[in-house]
Amino acid sequence: MAEIDNKIKVDERLRHIAFIMDGNGRWAQKRMMPRTYGHKVGAENFRRVVEYCNEIGIKIVTVYAFSTENWGRPRGEVEAIMDLLSGYLDKCEREMEEHKIKYNFLGDMSVLTDELREKIERVEKLSSGYDINLNIALNYGSRAEIAHAFSVLAKKGLKEISEDDISGALYTSHCPDPDIIVRTGGDIRLSNFLLWQAQYSEFYFTDVLWPDLSSENIDEIVREFYRRKRKYGKV
Ligand code: IPE
Ligand code: IPE
Ligand code: MG
């Protein structure tokens, strides 16, 4: 990592950062606003965070946008999140050449509306030539992902399964494991996110609520990452 005039630039040690974007609802409630307003402001911040991560040289960003368990929320909240996503996808398509981001959605898209799924497929296809990666975990659950990977391998007729076979059948097969997983919102748990891929990830938990996560906070996360000594079981 280099830091010149307070501007951070990462090196190949920090290729992949993942965010559990938590705390939107509480952010809104603190302001006497409906939870859906928190999702709207959270979605705006998500775009800023991704842009900033790319600016400082992080090539792969993964975000947890909607879990397999989040369907259990009130219908109005789920619909508001899906509407935000739909608007976001329109923007991605309009601004594709400006951002040069390759989008990949992680999760089972088959349960989404046809309209949403088609938008996702279009954005993934149109952006497939770019090399800055943004993975958006949507209707994502790590256990569901692992179970799905085993089904894929079973269908191939494999009798013995290696770690690489499993990694290769996950939704994240196109990228290395996250170097660091960040969770905003104060809770210290993974909530079914990247259980397999987190094998040697660093973890960073902060009380900052997702809509408030700033570029200064990200700089601090990066500095903390570079203070850690990653040992992978060795001495
Ligand atoms: C995270 O924020 C966004 C989603 C899970 C979709 P929350 O909506 O979980 O916000 P809190 O945790 O209730 O504050
Ligand atoms: C995790 O947040 C899921 C996302 C950020 C999309 P939750 O708010 O759903 O997690 P729990 O319920 O606090 O574990
Ligand atoms: Mg939450």
Side-chain angles (χ1 to χ4, degrees), residues 71-101:
W71 295 107
R73 295 187 177 204
R75 210 169 82 194
E77 182 169 340
V78 172
E79 280 174 3
I81 294 170
M82 295 303 153
D83 283 350
L84 282 166
L85 180 75
S86 177
Y88 171 70
L89 286 160
D90 295 337
K91 221 177 165 67
C92 291
E93 199 173 332
R94 280 200 307 274
E95 299 174 359
M96 187 140 305
E97 288 178 26
E98 181 188 334
H99 297 300
K100 300 197 176 355
I101 288 174

Side-chain angles (χ1 to χ4, degrees), residues 135-154:
N135 300 314
I136 301 176
L138 176 70
N139 185 29
Y140 174 89
S142 191
R143 286 198 172 189
E145 177 188 36
I146 292 167
H148 173 259
F150 274 80
S151 303
V152 169
L153 297 172

Side-chain angles (χ1 to χ4, degrees), residues 20-29 35 38-39 64-67 70 73 77 81 183-185 187 189 209-211:
I20 300 174
M21 309 188 287
D22 197 24
N24 291 345
R26 280 164 287 163
W27 185 92
Q29 281 163 334
R35 291 177 54 84
H39 294 310
Y64 203 4
F66 192 85
S67 75
N70 289 148
R73 295 187 177 204
E77 182 169 340
I81 294 170
R183 182 174 186 139
T184 59
D187 285 311
R189 55 175 171 260
L209 302 172
W210 176 260

